[in-house]
Amino acid sequence: MRSHLLNDRTAGTYRRTVTAGVEHIAARLAHADRPFTGITPPALAPVVDAVDLDLPLGDAAAALEELDRLYLRDAVYFHHPRYLAHLNCPVVIPAVLGEAVLSAVNSSLDTWDQSAGGTLIERRLIDWTAARIGLGPAADGVFTSGGTQSNLHALLLAREEACDGVRKQHGAGLRTAEILPRLRILASAHGHFSVRKAALLLGLGEEAVIEVPCDAERRMRPAALAAALAQVQRDDLVPMAVVATAGTTDFGSVDPLPQIAGLCAGYGVWLHVDAAYGCGLLVSGRRRHLLSGIERADSVTVDFHKSFFQPVSSSAVLVRDRATLRHATYHAEYLNPERMAAEQIPNQVDKSLQTTRRFDALKLWLTLRVMGADGVGALFDEVCDLAGAGWRLLDEDPRFEVVARPQLSTLVFRYAPGSTAGAAGVAGTGADPALADPALADPALIDAANLHARAQLAASGAAMVAGTKVDGRHYLKFTLLNPETTTEDLAAVLDLIAEHAAAYTGESLVPDVPAVPTR
């Protein structure tokens, strides 16, 4: 069995095995004619369950062949131009090279004596990102598993800072358990669900999260935030943090950060900006201004595996004041004793919620060294441009309603031919009341038609789109992160959606509806 260990004597076997695997994957990628096969759980589960894990195949080639049947054949391929569903990006080759390197060397980024140069590379990338944000010379941070962990980490720091503030004001003897019931987090109504999850994990309960209303563009309303902060103060509660979003999951909306930052400064409240999606703006050549105000944040979440075209996972949390990271610090004699900090030995575990941690920073490092920040930013600008073109397609197509003009690269819409009654705040569509089908005036029927269209599209494997709810109604969503996707792809998928939805409602497809000029 030692022949399977990767070391100096098996380097040749490693080379041959991995090369064969890479060739197999490359062939799959090259011949993927659709993003998904449409396989269902009942069809695939018995195939996986039939594998006897106590009876090894003994051969990597045989295992790879089996894996093809279990996974690769039916995998969802994000690189396909008609994968339009979730915040999954196609990945750049330098980052995949980094993945191969970090897996083989297998550094753990918790302590210097397990990673050495890896620690310095991660720290350099944190400094680079903090400088791009504009957090200042005292900034710091650490890579994480993703946006959910980054948000949890930031809110942990905010919680501890808020507790320290209460103790300074009301007495150092106050226990944390006495303070927690008074803490409140104020977050956008369209913010990420991980904020509520973090509140639960931090002992606050979901009820500690106050939802701040948004405008028609799904951005937090500063006036509503001001009113909420004032109410918290009147109720003798403690505003622990305000969570602003730079790129909401559904709409790609960027909250008005300068006004929010001003309110946080006035109330002395921790400002966290969740830029998991919108962090691509940090390298954008034409849209960086959308992040104006982010430099005033106390903490920021970035997900490089969304808009920097990195393989999962590659995320980070950054803070304005590195001293606040002490709230996540624990010292273990066997790993990172306190004396190491005094000796200035850089142990990343000192500021991380994780102990053992992959060298995910390497992927971004190689990407920047090969492509440059401007190259990554150009790709992100391309998908944002595509979203703008997609919005125009939808706005001019009387078969669809589109909710909001995108700031980033998502489009929320639904099949509703001729309908003039959409979600509240729907940006003007090209619908003509004279074309409305009375049968489709029933909102439940429209909902069902859109759900059916999405399911049928996935079952066919021809394209993948996401779904969401807006004001209680079902909508579809394009999440555009692939620069290879074209407006022709979007138009073709819209035709498929309309075909499936019309078949469900029984609507005739005769050419009563005027052709869309852009087709």
Side-chain angles (χ1 to χ4, degrees):
M1 287 297 106
R2 290 187 180 184
S3 63
H4 294 294
L5 292 173
L6 176 55
N7 54 40
D8 56 330
R9 295 185 302 280
T10 58
T13 302
Y14 160 73
R15 183 184 300 109
R16 290 188 296 273
T17 302
V18 173
T19 298
V22 168
E23 289 175 350
H24 192 100
I25 300 300
R28 272 287 175 197
L29 292 171
H31 295 100
D33 61 351
R34 48 186 175 159
F36 184 45
T37 63
I39 192 75
T40 62
L44 189 56
V47 183
V48 177
D49 291 344
V51 174
D52 186 349
L53 290 174
D54 292 317
L55 186 63
L57 297 171
D59 176 71
L64 190 60
E65 195 171 307
E66 178 186 77
L67 185 66
D68 197 83
R69 298 193 305 274
L70 303 178
Y71 169 58
L72 296 173
R73 180 186 61 195
D74 300 302
V76 179
Y77 286 104
F78 304 145
H79 77 284
H80 194 281
R82 294 191 183 178
Y83 177 83
L84 311 170
H86 302 288
L87 280 166
N88 306 117
C89 59
V91 295
V92 292
I93 294 172
V96 178
L97 172 61
E99 190 75 59
V101 173
L102 71 91
S103 295
V105 180
N106 200 32
S107 298
S108 181
L109 267 287
D110 43 334
T111 59
W112 167 260
D113 65 0
Q114 298 177 76
S115 58
T119 291
L120 300 181
I121 286 172
E122 176 171 298
R123 288 189 166 214
R124 181 75 176 84
L125 282 170
I126 288 293
D127 290 344
W128 176 84
T129 307
R132 284 269 170 171
I133 295 170
L135 290 177
D140 201 354
V142 69
F143 271 66
T144 70
S145 65
T148 294
Q149 185 189 332
S150 292
N151 287 343
L152 172 64
H153 195 144
L155 291 173
L156 167 67
L157 306 183
R159 185 193 74 178
E160 294 306 294
E161 287 292 298
C163 288
D164 286 350
V166 170
R167 291 187 186 100
K168 286 177 184 176
Q169 189 173 1
H170 297 289
L174 278 174
R175 294 180 298 114
T176 298
E178 296 175 281
I179 301 172
L180 293 187
R182 296 182 59 207
L183 300 185
R184 293 295 180 268
I185 300 168
L186 295 90
S188 160
H190 292 282
H192 198 260
F193 70 85
S194 60
V195 174
R196 291 186 178 278
K197 182 182 285 189
L200 190 64
L201 293 171
L202 293 172
L204 309 177
E206 291 186 54
E207 60 275 13
V209 179
I210 297 173
E211 196 172 271
V212 181
C214 294
D215 60 21
E217 301 302 316
R218 275 54 188 181
R219 302 182 308 164
M220 185 190 292
R221 291 173 46 224
L225 175 61
L229 285 167
Q231 186 62 52
V232 167
Q233 193 172 63
R234 284 194 297 272
D235 292 340
D236 195 30
L237 299 171
V238 179
M240 176 189 117
V242 169
V243 180
T245 310
T248 58
T249 303
D250 275 348
F251 298 99
S253 302
V254 179
D255 288 335
L257 301 178
Q259 296 95 314
I260 293 170
L263 285 166
C264 289
Y267 278 88
V269 181
W270 182 286
L271 171 59
H272 175 63
V273 176
D274 179 359
Y277 174 15
C279 64
L281 296 170
L282 293 172
V283 290
S284 167
R286 291 183 277 116
R287 293 177 172 85
R288 175 59 178 82
H289 64 279
L290 293 175
L291 288 181
S292 176
I294 196 172
E295 69 280 357
R296 299 173 67 183
D298 294 288
S299 56
V300 177
T301 287
V302 294
D303 268 9
F304 301 113
H305 58 235
K306 288 186 172 69
S307 47
F308 275 67
F309 307 96
Q310 300 295 291
V312 292
S313 59
S314 184
S315 181
V317 62
L318 298 106
V319 295
R320 161 178 303 284
D321 181 3
R322 64 173 59 93
T324 60
L325 290 169
R326 72 186 183 280
H327 298 304
T329 302
Y330 285 84
H331 292 285
E333 280 300 318
Y334 79 94
L335 189 70
N336 64 326
E338 283 192 68
R339 60 178 174 76
M340 286 188 170
E343 295 167 11
Q344 296 188 320
I345 296 173
N347 291 325
Q348 293 294 82
V349 72
D350 292 353
K351 50 190 173 183
S352 176
L353 298 185
Q354 298 170 262
T355 304
T356 302
R357 191 163 51 82
R358 302 174 84 240
F359 184 18
D360 287 316
L362 179 61
K363 295 174 283 190
L364 179 61
W365 179 272
L366 286 179
T367 299
L368 294 177
R369 299 309 298 143
V370 173
M371 296 174 58
D374 290 345
V376 177
L379 292 179
F380 190 58
D381 276 334
E382 280 191 56
V383 295
C384 293
D385 290 342
L386 176 65
W391 184 87
R392 289 188 290 275
L393 271 181
L394 286 158
D395 189 51
E396 295 166 0
D397 192 330
R399 300 172 299 178
F400 296 96
E401 294 174 347
V402 57
V403 177
R405 188 187 294 268
Q407 284 186 285
L408 299 183
S409 64
T410 57
L411 291 163
V412 178
F413 63 96
R414 67 174 178 168
Y415 173 80
S419 173
T420 57
V426 168
T429 67
D432 181 347
L435 298 172
D437 183 340
L440 290 177
D442 178 5
L445 180 60
I446 296 176
D447 280 353
N450 282 279
L451 290 171
H452 175 80
R454 183 189 177 202
Q456 289 299 111
L457 200 61
S460 73
M464 297 285 285
V465 302
T468 190
K469 272 191 170 183
V470 181
D471 300 328
R473 307 313 324 180
H474 287 283
Y475 278 72
L476 303 176
K477 184 172 69 167
F478 286 165
T479 306
L480 306 175
L481 283 177
N482 191 345
E484 295 291 307
T485 302
T486 65
T487 52
E488 289 75 19
D489 287 313
L490 301 185
V493 174
L494 289 175
D495 284 341
L496 289 171
I497 290 169
E499 182 179 338
H500 289 306
Y504 180 83
T505 62
E507 176 194 357
S508 171
L509 289 178
V510 295
D512 293 342
V513 179
V516 180
T518 51
R519 302 284 173 86

Coordinates of all heavy atoms in Angstrom, one line a residue, residues 153-165 167 270 319 321-330 349-353:
H153 N -17.2 35.4 10.8 CA -16.0 35.8 11.4 C -16.1 37.3 11.7 O -15.8 37.8 12.8 CB -14.8 35.6 10.5 CG -13.5 35.7 11.1 ND1 -12.4 34.9 10.8 CD2 -13.0 36.5 12.1 CE1 -11.4 35.2 11.5 NE2 -11.7 36.2 12.3
A154 N -16.6 38.1 10.7 CA -16.7 39.6 10.9 C -17.7 39.9 12.0 O -17.4 40.8 12.8 CB -17.1 40.2 9.6
L155 N -18.8 39.2 12.1 CA -19.8 39.5 13.1 C -19.4 39.1 14.5 O -19.8 39.6 15.5 CB -21.1 38.9 12.7 CG -21.8 39.6 11.4 CD1 -23.0 38.9 11.0 CD2 -22.1 41.1 11.8
L156 N -18.5 38.0 14.5 CA -17.9 37.7 15.8 C -17.1 38.8 16.4 O -17.2 39.2 17.5 CB -17.1 36.4 15.7 CG -16.1 36.1 16.9 CD1 -16.9 35.7 18.1 CD2 -15.1 35.0 16.5
L157 N -16.3 39.4 15.5 CA -15.4 40.5 15.9 C -16.3 41.7 16.3 O -16.1 42.4 17.3 CB -14.5 40.9 14.8 CG -13.6 39.9 14.2 CD1 -12.7 40.4 13.1 CD2 -12.8 39.1 15.3
A158 N -17.4 42.0 15.5 CA -18.3 43.1 15.9 C -19.0 42.8 17.2 O -19.2 43.8 18.0 CB -19.3 43.2 14.7
R159 N -19.4 41.6 17.4 CA -20.0 41.2 18.7 C -19.1 41.6 19.9 O -19.5 42.2 20.9 CB -20.4 39.8 18.7 CG -21.2 39.4 20.0 CD -21.3 37.9 20.1 NE -20.1 37.3 20.6 CZ -19.9 36.0 20.8 NH1 -20.9 35.1 20.6 NH2 -18.7 35.5 21.2
E160 N -17.9 41.1 19.8 CA -16.9 41.3 20.9 C -16.6 42.8 21.1 O -16.5 43.3 22.2 CB -15.7 40.5 20.7 CG -15.9 39.0 20.7 CD -16.6 38.5 22.0 OE1 -15.9 38.7 23.0 OE2 -17.7 38.1 21.9
E161 N -16.5 43.5 20.0 CA -16.3 45.0 20.1 C -17.5 45.7 20.8 O -17.3 46.6 21.6 CB -16.0 45.6 18.7 CG -14.6 45.2 18.2 CD -13.5 45.9 18.9 OE1 -13.4 47.1 19.0 OE2 -12.6 45.1 19.5
A162 N -18.7 45.2 20.4 CA -19.9 45.8 21.0 C -19.9 45.5 22.5 O -20.3 46.4 23.3 CB -21.1 45.3 20.3
C163 N -19.6 44.3 22.9 CA -19.6 43.9 24.3 C -18.6 44.7 25.0 O -18.9 45.2 26.2 CB -19.3 42.4 24.4 SG -20.7 41.3 23.9
D164 N -17.4 44.9 24.5 CA -16.4 45.7 25.1 C -16.9 47.2 25.3 O -16.7 47.8 26.4 CB -15.1 45.8 24.3 CG -14.3 44.5 24.4 OD1 -14.7 43.6 25.2 OD2 -13.4 44.3 23.6
G165 N -17.6 47.7 24.3 CA -18.2 49.0 24.4 C -19.2 49.1 25.5 O -19.2 50.1 26.3
R167 N -19.3 47.3 28.2 CA -18.6 47.2 29.5 C -18.0 48.5 29.9 O -18.0 48.9 31.1 CB -17.6 46.1 29.5 CG -18.2 44.7 29.4 CD -17.1 43.6 29.5 NE -17.7 42.3 29.3 CZ -17.6 41.6 28.2 NH1 -17.0 42.1 27.1 NH2 -18.2 40.4 28.0
W270 N -20.2 49.3 14.2 CA -19.4 48.5 13.3 C -20.1 48.4 11.9 O -21.2 48.0 11.8 CB -19.2 47.2 13.9 CG -18.3 46.2 13.1 CD1 -18.6 45.6 12.0 CD2 -16.9 45.9 13.5 NE1 -17.5 44.8 11.6 CE2 -16.5 44.9 12.5 CE3 -16.1 46.2 14.5 CZ2 -15.2 44.3 12.5 CZ3 -14.8 45.6 14.6 CH2 -14.4 44.7 13.6
V319 N -10.2 43.3 7.8 CA -10.6 44.2 8.8 C -9.8 45.5 8.7 O -8.6 45.5 8.3 CB -10.5 43.6 10.3 CG1 -11.5 42.5 10.4 CG2 -9.1 43.2 10.6
D321 N -8.9 47.3 11.4 CA -7.9 47.4 12.5 C -7.5 46.0 12.9 O -8.4 45.2 13.4 CB -8.6 48.1 13.7 CG -7.7 48.2 14.9 OD1 -6.5 47.8 14.8 OD2 -8.1 48.7 15.9
R322 N -6.3 45.6 12.6 CA -5.9 44.2 12.9 C -6.0 43.9 14.3 O -6.1 42.7 14.7 CB -4.4 44.1 12.4 CG -3.4 44.9 13.2 CD -2.0 44.5 12.8 NE -1.7 44.7 11.4 CZ -1.2 45.8 10.8 NH1 -0.9 46.8 11.6 NH2 -1.0 45.8 9.5
A323 N -6.0 44.8 15.2 CA -6.2 44.5 16.7 C -7.5 43.8 17.0 O -7.6 43.0 17.9 CB -6.1 45.8 17.5
T324 N -8.5 44.0 16.1 CA -9.8 43.4 16.4 C -9.7 41.9 16.2 O -10.6 41.1 16.7 CB -10.9 44.0 15.5 OG1 -10.6 43.8 14.2 CG2 -11.1 45.5 15.8
L325 N -8.8 41.4 15.4 CA -8.7 40.0 15.2 C -8.3 39.2 16.4 O -8.4 38.0 16.4 CB -7.6 39.7 14.1 CG -8.0 40.2 12.7 CD1 -6.8 40.1 11.7 CD2 -9.1 39.3 12.1
R326 N -7.9 39.9 17.5 CA -7.6 39.2 18.7 C -8.8 38.5 19.3 O -8.6 37.5 20.0 CB -7.1 40.2 19.8 CG -8.2 41.1 20.3 CD -7.7 42.2 21.2 NE -8.8 43.0 21.8 CZ -9.4 44.0 21.2 NH1 -9.1 44.3 19.9 NH2 -10.4 44.7 21.8
H327 N -10.0 38.9 18.9 CA -11.2 38.2 19.4 C -11.3 36.8 18.9 O -12.1 36.0 19.4 CB -12.4 39.0 19.0 CG -12.5 40.4 19.6 ND1 -12.4 40.6 21.0 CD2 -12.6 41.6 19.0 CE1 -12.4 41.9 21.2 NE2 -12.6 42.5 20.0
A328 N -10.6 36.4 17.8 CA -10.6 35.1 17.3 C -9.3 34.3 17.7 O -9.1 33.2 17.2 CB -10.7 35.1 15.8
T329 N -8.5 34.9 18.6 CA -7.2 34.3 18.9 C -7.3 33.3 20.1 O -7.8 33.7 21.2 CB -6.2 35.4 19.2 OG1 -6.1 36.2 18.0 CG2 -4.8 34.7 19.5
Y330 N -6.8 32.1 19.9 CA -6.6 31.2 21.0 C -5.2 30.6 20.9 O -4.8 30.3 19.7 CB -7.7 30.1 21.0 CG -9.0 30.6 21.5 CD1 -9.9 31.2 20.7 CD2 -9.4 30.4 22.9 CE1 -11.1 31.7 21.1 CE2 -10.6 30.9 23.3 CZ -11.5 31.5 22.4 OH -12.7 32.0 22.9
V349 N -3.2 30.9 12.2 CA -4.3 30.4 13.1 C -4.6 31.4 14.2 O -5.7 31.4 14.8 CB -3.9 29.0 13.7 CG1 -2.8 29.2 14.8 CG2 -5.1 28.3 14.3
D350 N -3.7 32.3 14.5 CA -3.9 33.4 15.5 C -5.1 34.3 15.2 O -5.7 34.9 16.0 CB -2.7 34.2 15.7 CG -1.5 33.5 16.3 OD1 -1.7 32.3 16.7 OD2 -0.4 34.1 16.4
K351 N -5.5 34.3 13.9 CA -6.6 35.2 13.5 C -7.6 34.5 12.7 O -8.5 35.1 12.1 CB -6.0 36.4 12.7 CG -5.1 36.0 11.5 CD -4.4 37.2 10.9 CE -3.4 36.9 9.9 NZ -2.7 38.0 9.4
S352 N -7.7 33.2 12.7 CA -8.6 32.4 11.9 C -9.6 31.6 12.8 O -9.2 31.2 13.9 CB -7.8 31.4 11.0 OG -8.7 30.6 10.3
L353 N -10.8 31.4 12.3 CA -11.7 30.5 12.9 C -11.4 29.0 12.7 O -11.8 28.1 13.4 CB -13.2 30.7 12.5 CG -13.7 32.1 12.7 CD1 -15.2 32.2 12.3 CD2 -13.6 32.5 14.2

